[in-house]
Amino acid sequence: MTAKISATVITGFLGAGKTSMIRHLLGSANGKRLALIINEFGDLGVDGEILKSCGIEGCEDGDVMELANGCICCTVADDFVPTMEALLARPNPPDHIVIETSGLALPKPLVKAFNWPEIRTRVTVDGVIAVIDAEAVAAGRFAPDLDAIAAQRAADDALDHDSPLEEVFEDQLSCADLVVINKTDLLDDSLLAKVTGEVGARLRPAVKLVRGRHGAIDAEILLGLGAAAEDDLEARPSHHDGVEDHDHDDFESFSVSLGELRAPEDLLTRLGPVISTHDILRIKGFAAIAGKDMRLVLHGVGGRVQHYFDRDWHPEEPRETRLVVIGQTGLDRAAISAALAG
Ligand SMILES: [Zn+2]
């Protein structure tokens, strides 16, 4: 069992200074191999470009991945999870993964996604960091440019929550392990003390506040929080707890064994309808086909089912068909197993 890879989730509204903070983080990472997943987009969709061309040694193009299909918490299964899996499948995976969320994303559903079966065993959430714009918070706006945020909201077709900024702000704070009060140079001491007091009052116990200018906070402070946030979600209240229509729940998986098949066609024909009928997020596994030395790989996501022979069965492996079914909690295991057996 190797050590888990740490991931840091960075929240904060458009313009709060997440990108400059990440740039500084890259420059102070001391040889740690960081990968970035960027979800910030909209009219400032330049984040990816800024970071890709940062020119910092050891920061390569391939280490910056953009999720441009919409709010990261609303596209967890379609976009975020496959991106994480691709990062983990690399021959030389990163030491640390930094995820910049879109300012409108709710942090808790994203942290929940780290309980996805294949991510949970390999990655832990080292910390959730909220970056706030001191001046905007002092002025009661929460974000520096409300028009830009309205445009971002309008441009995001995937966004399935319409929360007021204050709620998103409170969710960012109550899920945080560390809060960066940025742009402190724009406030005088008394206003800054007021903001610090107000923000501090909304945090969970033991959550630290750090003050920064232009996001210049070192990696030593930002990384290595060791929070394992995915394990204490209950301690992180959200305005969206218990909201049934927000499609972010826990995941479950189970496996189905089918023995050796005479031919693959029947099973392949059944997979698509089973996936759609039971709202399954993914089915994957191997099939043993009579008379074939090789095992058949099966991989179904959404409506697409891939299949190909990858290698001979090893002598010690049981020749059987075994599929893992992954979905949101509440899968009808008996019905799915029966439907797969045909
Ligand atoms: Zn979302």
Side-chain angles (χ1 to χ4, degrees), residues 71 73-74 105-106 159-161 246 248:
C71 178
C73 78
C74 296
L106 304 171
L159 195 68
D160 72 1
H161 41 87
H246 198 249
H248 303 317

Side-chain angles (χ1 to χ4, degrees), residues 96-274:
H96 201 112
I97 300 171
V98 175
I99 300 156
E100 181 191 25
T101 66
S102 111
L104 292 170
L106 304 171
K108 194 168 173 178
L110 177 61
V111 175
K112 267 190 186 177
F114 286 82
N115 284 314
W116 179 275
E118 286 152 21
I119 293 180
R120 187 176 171 80
T121 53
R122 305 263 325 262
V123 185
T124 181
V125 180
D126 177 57
V128 179
I129 300 177
V131 182
I132 67 175
D133 180 313
E135 190 188 33
V137 173
R141 290 195 311 276
F142 308 108
D145 184 345
L146 298 182
D147 289 342
I149 289 181
Q152 180 185 30
R153 204 190 279 275
D156 187 350
D157 295 333
L159 195 68
D160 72 1
H161 41 87
D162 191 20
S163 332
L165 284 195
E166 183 168 11
E167 281 189 12
V168 178
F169 181 68
E170 286 174 352
D171 272 24
Q172 289 170 356
L173 294 182
S174 55
C175 197
D177 297 293
L178 180 76
V179 175
V180 173
I181 302 189
N182 202 18
K183 307 192 191 178
T184 54
D185 50 322
L186 301 180
L187 297 186
D188 63 30
D189 288 348
S190 69
L191 208 44
L192 185 56
K194 182 166 167 278
V195 168
T196 307
E198 282 174 8
V199 168
R202 302 200 204 198
L203 302 179
R204 294 175 300 122
V207 171
K208 294 279 183 291
L209 277 162
V210 294
R211 295 174 177 187
R213 297 175 180 200
H214 313 294
I217 318 274
D218 285 357
E220 286 185 332
I221 311 261
L222 299 175
L223 308 186
L225 300 176
E230 71 278 16
D231 287 337
D232 77 342
L233 282 162
E234 301 73 31
R236 299 163 190 253
S238 159
H239 285 284
H240 300 81
D241 285 340
V243 178
E244 293 304 329
D245 63 354
H246 198 249
D247 224 7
H248 303 317
D249 283 309
D250 291 325
F251 304 108
E252 67 170 309
S253 68
F254 67 98
S255 65
V256 180
S257 295
L258 299 174
E260 191 174 87
L261 308 178
R262 241 173 308 166
E265 285 76 18
D266 285 354
L267 176 61
L268 288 172
T269 316
R270 285 195 294 272
L271 280 178
V274 171

